[in-house]
Amino acid sequence: MRKNLGSLPGVFPMPVLMVATYDENEKVDVMNVAWGNICGMDKIALNLAPERKTLKNIRLKNAFTVSLADEAHVKEADFLGTASGNVMSDKFERTGLHAVRSSRVDAPIIEEFPVTLECEVAEIRESFGEIKVIGIIVNVSADEKVLDENGKVSAGKLNAIMFDQFQNSYYTVGKKIADAWRVGAEFMKK
Amino acid sequence: MRKNLGSLPGVFPMPVLMVATYDENEKVDVMNVAWGNICGMDKIALNLAPERKTLKNIRLKNAFTVSLADEAHVKEADFLGTASGNVMSDKFERTGLHAVRSSRVDAPIIEEFPVTLECEVAEIRESFGEIKVIGIIVNVSADEKVLDENGKVSAGKLNAIMFDQFQNSYYTVGKKIADAWRVGAEFMKK
């Protein structure tokens, strides 16, 4: 039996994207974005409310980084999604996380997060009340500890978290169950 | 030690979105989209290659549905992401899945998937080689079995799968670890 729940932002899972920028004083700001994803082989789209400090910084520097939040830093990730850099000047410092400058783009890399996309701005536009930022992924850097023997990121080692907007909660990743482009092959032969 | 991996579509997790449409003969087509997410409280964005059958159908009907793929149907979901409705006329029928017409939009609901977003087209535009479809979420319908005692979708009951583009594989969801907007509260008090 199906129930109608009305209009809801009902996509699951959503990633927990930590978007890091510098302001005009080279001060680090980080926010938590669930409404983003890849939108091309070398592109990422983020949907941000117009008033975000992050958006001001992105316009200023034409650059940002996006890190994947992991289970060890769920508290920090959550805080960075609730506090505002517009009103809390020491927002990033409170977390105790550490930042280094990206060598590729004018934005900080948060050292504690294991995978980081270093991005230049490709486009910023208004879209139905949100500001859509599209970034060119110039480089992905990852901690060795999350790489497999072939040097690729292993989702099993990443311990990434995901956001559940149905109930406003965070989940861990389970187990790998199948190879894509293979597990459905039986239907090809029918 | 951080390693540079070059430019990669390195977001994890990505959802496994089953996008269902009718063609001009009311024939059901379903494809698997990983590059999509919510982009507003009542909006969803999908990034599609220009040649997709799904895109032709969306332009024709101004409607589509998006279902969340679950673990029980990982084979079907994978097949629907590898086969093309442009060249395989019985693509949907091969899966053995069942469709019913949405009462809200001119698009089919796949009965086996537990959560479905019923969408009208808000905008279709080219963006850096991909076609970005933005839909208005008119209604979300969900199987009773994935709802909690308050009538909300429970991610723990959903058994949704997610896509790992680093290694082209599917993962299950783990466990709930925290309430969002709460778990990071300790940093607010500092």
Side-chain angles (χ1 to χ4, degrees), chain A residues 38-56:
Chain A
I38 295 298
C39 63
M41 283 304 285
D42 68 343
K43 300 240 167 30
I44 185 168
L46 305 174
N47 295 282
L48 305 177
E51 68 275 14
R52 296 289 181 216
K53 170 90 169 169
T54 293
L55 194 55
K56 287 179 211 161

Side-chain angles (χ1 to χ4, degrees), chain A residues 1-7 78 94 116 137 139-140 142 144 148 167-168 170 172 174 177-178 180-181 188, chain B residues 1-7 78 94 116 137 139-140 142 148 167-168 170 172 174-175 177-178 180-181 187-188:
Chain A
M1 178 71 185
R2 274 183 114 84
K3 297 261 189 181
N4 292 315
L5 308 180
S7 179
D78 184 58
R94 286 182 183 217
T116 303
I137 304 163
N139 182 52
V140 176
E144 278 182 323
D148 70 8
Q167 307 246 4
N168 290 325
Y170 297 105
T172 60
I177 51 163
W181 310 339
M188 283 287 183
Chain B
M1 178 72 185
R2 273 184 115 83
K3 296 261 190 179
N4 292 316
L5 308 180
S7 179
D78 185 57
R94 287 182 183 217
T116 303
I137 304 163
N139 183 51
V140 175
D148 69 7
Q167 307 246 5
N168 289 326
Y170 298 105
T172 60
K175 61 183 191 300
I177 50 164
W181 311 338
F187 297 109
M188 284 286 185

Side-chain angles (χ1 to χ4, degrees), chain B residues 63-88:
Chain B
F64 59 94
T65 68
V66 178
S67 293
L68 308 180
D70 65 349
E71 189 175 353
H73 302 97
V74 62
K75 289 183 182 180
E76 291 84 350
D78 185 57
F79 168 73
L80 291 166
T82 49
S84 167
N86 282 323
V87 295
M88 188 184 283

Side-chain angles (χ1 to χ4, degrees), chain A residues 1-15 17 34-45 47 67-68 71 74-76 78-79 81-83 88 94-95 104 109-111 113-118 122-123 125 127-128 130 132 134 137-144 147-148 151-156 158 160-190, chain B residues 1-15 17 34-45 47 67-68 71 74-76 78-79 81-83 88 94-95 104 109-111 113-118 122-123 125 127-128 130 132 134 137-144 147-148 151-156 158 160-190:
Chain A
M1 178 71 185
R2 274 183 114 84
K3 297 261 189 181
N4 292 315
L5 308 180
S7 179
L8 297 172
V11 166
F12 179 82
M14 294 181 189
L17 305 175
W35 292 356
N37 201 346
I38 295 298
C39 63
M41 283 304 285
D42 68 343
K43 300 240 167 30
I44 185 168
N47 295 282
S67 294
L68 308 179
E71 189 175 353
V74 62
K75 289 183 184 183
E76 291 83 350
D78 184 58
F79 168 72
T82 48
M88 189 184 282
R94 286 182 183 217
T95 64
R104 312 294 182 95
I109 291 177
I110 312 307
E111 294 185 287
F113 294 123
V115 174
T116 303
L117 287 62
E118 296 161 73
E123 187 181 67
R125 64 189 294 273
S127 177
F128 299 101
E130 299 287 319
K132 199 176 290 286
I134 296 183
I137 304 163
V138 175
N139 182 52
V140 176
S141 67
D143 194 301
E144 278 182 323
L147 301 179
D148 70 8
K152 286 188 178 182
V153 173
S154 163
L158 192 52
I161 54 173
M162 65 198 77
F163 181 57
D164 158 32
Q165 192 155 6
F166 289 115
Q167 307 246 4
N168 290 325
S169 56
Y170 297 105
Y171 277 75
T172 60
V173 176
K175 60 183 191 302
K176 177 179 166 178
I177 51 163
D179 288 315
W181 310 339
R182 287 194 186 181
V183 67
E186 66 187 67
F187 297 108
M188 283 287 183
K189 294 167 198 153
K190 284 191 180 173
Chain B
M1 178 72 185
R2 273 184 115 83
K3 296 261 190 179
N4 292 316
L5 308 180
S7 179
L8 296 171
V11 166
F12 179 82
M14 294 182 189
L17 305 175
W35 292 357
N37 201 346
I38 294 298
C39 64
M41 282 306 283
D42 67 343
K43 300 239 168 29
I44 185 168
N47 295 281
S67 293
L68 308 180
E71 189 175 353
V74 62
K75 289 183 182 180
E76 291 84 350
D78 185 57
F79 168 73
T82 49
M88 188 184 283
R94 287 182 183 217
T95 62
R104 311 294 182 94
I109 291 176
I110 312 307
E111 294 184 289
F113 294 123
V115 174
T116 303
L117 286 63
E118 297 161 72
E123 186 181 67
R125 64 188 294 273
S127 177
F128 300 101
E130 299 286 319
K132 199 175 289 287
I134 297 183
I137 304 163
V138 175
N139 183 51
V140 175
S141 67
D143 193 302
E144 279 183 324
L147 301 179
D148 69 7
K152 287 189 178 182
V153 173
S154 163
L158 191 54
I161 55 173
M162 65 199 75
F163 182 57
D164 159 32
Q165 190 155 8
F166 290 115
Q167 307 246 5
N168 289 326
S169 55
Y170 298 105
Y171 277 75
T172 60
V173 177
K175 61 183 191 300
K176 177 177 166 177
I177 50 164
D179 288 314
W181 311 338
R182 287 195 187 181
V183 67
E186 68 187 66
F187 297 109
M188 284 286 185
K189 296 168 197 150
K190 281 190 182 174

